[in-house]
Structure formats: C-alpha cells, structure tokens
Amino acid sequence: MVRELTDTNFDQETASGLTLVDFWATWCGPCRMQSPVIDELNEESDGSVDYFKMDVDANQATPSKFGIMSIPTLLVTKDGEVVDKLIGYHSKEQIEAALVKHK
C-alpha cells in the first residue's frame, strides 16, 4: 500500500533512497486517474523506490515549499533532493522511464 505523507513526516520519509510522491486532492479528477497507476507501480516494486501520496488540502506547507501549483504532481527525490517533477497525469510507462534515470 502506498503510504500517506504529511508536512510533519515528509523530510524524514524522503531523506534516503529513491522516492516518488504523488501530490493529490480528493476533488481532483486527474488525481483519481493517477492514483491506481501509483498503486500498481508500488505493488510491482522491487523495493528500490518508495511510493508515497500527499493530500495537498490537508498538508499545504510541503507543496508550497516545492512550488506545486497544479495537481497531480509527482515529485521524485533521491536522498532528500528533488531530481524530477512530473506535472499532470502520467502513464505507468512514463513514470517508470522517469524513475529509471535515477536508480
């Protein structure tokens, strides 16, 4: 299961390794399309990537810190540093291609 992040635990959870964070909201149609793709990637993961979701309505400080103005936005971090940002809906293949560049 994809874990939920909050403003409180974001830095700690993304501090090491490769992570993908899905910034979303319940009212966002494209976010509801993106969510199953993230869930599928997580289920098929070999453990080399940690998958997270963050509700932008409940957690506003972190999206603001990273300049997230549109959702869904997928933030890829490696050892706490942002290495990629994907804005809008992306297919499984597009996300995999973005992640493989940073493994």
Side-chain angles (χ1 to χ4, degrees):
M1 175 180 246
V2 177
R3 298 181 311 221
E4 289 280 340
L5 289 181
T6 65
D7 287 335
T8 306
N9 69 359
F10 180 89
D11 289 337
Q12 178 183 352
E13 293 289 343
T14 61
S16 65
L18 187 61
T19 67
L20 181 134
V21 182
D22 176 14
F23 290 87
W24 68 286
T26 56
W27 49 264
C28 167
C31 298
R32 289 195 300 270
M33 292 170 45
Q34 188 70 76
S35 186
V37 176
I38 304 301
D39 291 340
E40 184 177 347
L41 285 165
N42 182 59
E43 288 171 17
E44 295 175 359
S45 177
D46 61 4
S48 62
V49 179
D50 288 322
Y51 294 90
F52 299 100
K53 293 182 182 185
M54 179 176 271
D55 183 337
V56 299
D57 288 333
N59 303 281
Q60 297 179 357
T62 302
S64 177
K65 173 182 169 182
F66 291 105
I68 294 172
M69 305 294 284
S70 301
I71 54 174
T73 292
L74 306 176
L75 206 62
V76 181
T77 69
K78 186 166 189 174
D79 298 329
E81 298 295 320
V82 175
V83 294
D84 212 343
K85 183 190 268 190
L86 307 172
I87 300 170
Y89 172 83
H90 285 77
S91 70
K92 179 181 172 184
E93 293 76 18
Q94 290 170 315
I95 297 167
E96 288 174 329
L99 291 170
V100 78
K101 292 187 294 188
H102 305 291
K103 286 189 176 180

